[in-house]
Amino acid sequence: MRIVYFDIDTLRPDHLGCYGYCRNTSPNIDGIAAEGVRFDNYFTSDAPCLPSRSALMTGTFGIHNGVVDHGGFNADFRPEGRNRRFFSRKSFDNLPAFLKKEAGLRTVYIGGFGERHSTFDYYAGFREVYDTGKGGGESAEDVTPFAADWLDRNGAGDNWYLHINYWDPHTPYRAPADFGNPFADSPLPEWLTADVVERQLKETAGPHGILDINMYDDCESKAFPRQPGKVTDMDGVRREIDGYDCGVRYADSHVGMILGKLRSLGVYDDTIIIVSSDHGENIGELGMWSEHGTADAATCRIPMIIKWPGMKAGHADAGLHYNIDLLPTLAELLGVSPRETWEGASYADSVRRGADCGRSQLVLSQCCHGCQRSVRWGDWLYIRVYHDFYHLFPREMLFNLAEDPHEQHNLADERPEICAEGARRYLAWLDEMMFSQPEGYFHDPLWEVLLRTGGPFHARGHLKKYCERLEETGRDWAVPLLKARHPEEFR
């Protein structure tokens, strides 16, 4: 058995051709999808980077494993407590540890994620780690040579798992200058109109907003000319979209190089190939640009494509799934028992024969920029806001994703009965999560972020200075509203 997992950071599924995108961003990934199963409603349980990959690797929700933030108390896993044995559960239950022990695979990681977030638990279970040295600042040309070299030395053999981490769609958009712009004459996404830009310029303020894409200002770096600091017109929209899409296409070109290597070794047809991401990217949704700081569909929806030789090909699965569902799926497909600690649900029958294995709902979490939890069911996305990341989001937001996939029309005031249903579903999930907390833990880490840490990592301590910027840039209307909502920041 051979498995290649392409872990492409910040990859929106709706910017891939196989998911219906209007631009030719992903010919190699599209080819994988044509030979396997494409999951259309696949979401990370916890966003963004560190919480998402912590959930993926352990098969557990952030509310249980404790990793929901990028700093403070909740950027590390909760200790296992008195039930911790000589070997931690990470030696057995993590994704690579499971594949090593139960499938006998040689588990190999290539990338820089552990260094980026000082989350070296992420490497638990890998027999070999090739750290590409830039902590997530690398481009694909820094990663692919490691993977190609490893495949040259080992790829023709059997029983290995190769996890390749590409970063190119992640802000700052970084495709090398000599890659050019294959989208210079391509149409923009239809929903991003001049009216959307004008409305956001007049009505929105907040970090990573349309005038503050560099989080709290509009500064740009000469090292990353594709990354705008602000968007004020449709030329700015084009720069933003082209920058992101060039990152996707550049990563896809390197996926193609790895696929070519597998073919040259004569093992492509027998290799399981998985393509996914840790989170998506807001590009205008909820007034946020070049960031993944919400618990909405733009941030939490991710691609999942599985090509498994001898199983279903060319199928699109429309069911609702979490990233934590991958581990029990692999266990079932490998014919072994899942770990007791895992909280996911297998969708193996979808991979085998295209059967419907979807969930009735998903609950999504974000505590790194703001604090939000959302419920996704049917056509609906209900978002409950605990900390607004200084965007003045209302306490409740509601979107019909079938009619409004880019979340432009908040229906909370128009459909209070749907909000009530979303709140009921959320509270039922929260009760279930709290009653099943690991031994020794009696609190929700979301509240720990809010009350013990002093707010989400990317927000706390920035509001005073940001209000000065708002006043200097003619958006002083937002300042008294932010001061009223966050008085603790001004004491």
Side-chain angles (χ1 to χ4, degrees), residues 230-261:
K230 61 184 176 182
V231 167
T232 59
D233 52 28
M234 293 307 293
D235 288 339
V237 171
R238 173 164 290 279
R239 185 180 173 199
E240 169 83 6
I241 297 297
D242 288 2
Y244 178 78
D245 285 348
C246 282
V248 175
R249 180 63 182 264
Y250 188 64
D252 179 84
S253 70
H254 282 258
V255 168
M257 295 178 194
I258 299 302
L259 300 182
K261 178 66 67 175

Side-chain angles (χ1 to χ4, degrees), residues 21 72 78 97 113 116 124 141 166 210 232 248 252 302 346 375 409 472:
Y21 194 40
R78 288 169 161 172
F113 185 73
R116 180 176 180 83
E141 72 273 12
Y166 287 124
I210 196 166
T232 59
V248 175
D252 179 84
I302 57 177
S346 172
V375 186
H409 306 289
E472 292 166 358

Side-chain angles (χ1 to χ4, degrees), residues 68-89:
V68 299
D69 202 356
H70 275 171
F73 296 102
N74 297 104
D76 294 307
F77 286 106
R78 288 169 161 172
E80 292 178 31
R82 65 179 179 179
N83 289 326
R84 200 249 198 225
R85 304 301 184 191
F86 185 84
F87 292 105
S88 165
R89 287 198 297 263

Side-chain angles (χ1 to χ4, degrees), residues 407-443:
E407 305 159 1
Q408 297 298 291
H409 306 289
N410 179 11
L411 301 175
D413 290 340
E414 299 173 35
R415 301 298 302 272
E417 77 284 5
I418 303 297
C419 283
E421 173 63 12
R424 183 195 67 80
R425 287 172 175 264
Y426 168 62
L427 292 173
W429 173 88
L430 185 60
D431 285 351
E432 180 184 351
M433 292 295 104
M434 294 307 294
F435 278 117
S436 56
Q437 283 284 18
E439 183 183 15
Y441 296 98
F442 309 101
H443 58 274

Side-chain angles (χ1 to χ4, degrees), residues 213 308 383 403:
I213 293 179
W308 197 295
I383 305 177
E403 299 175 357

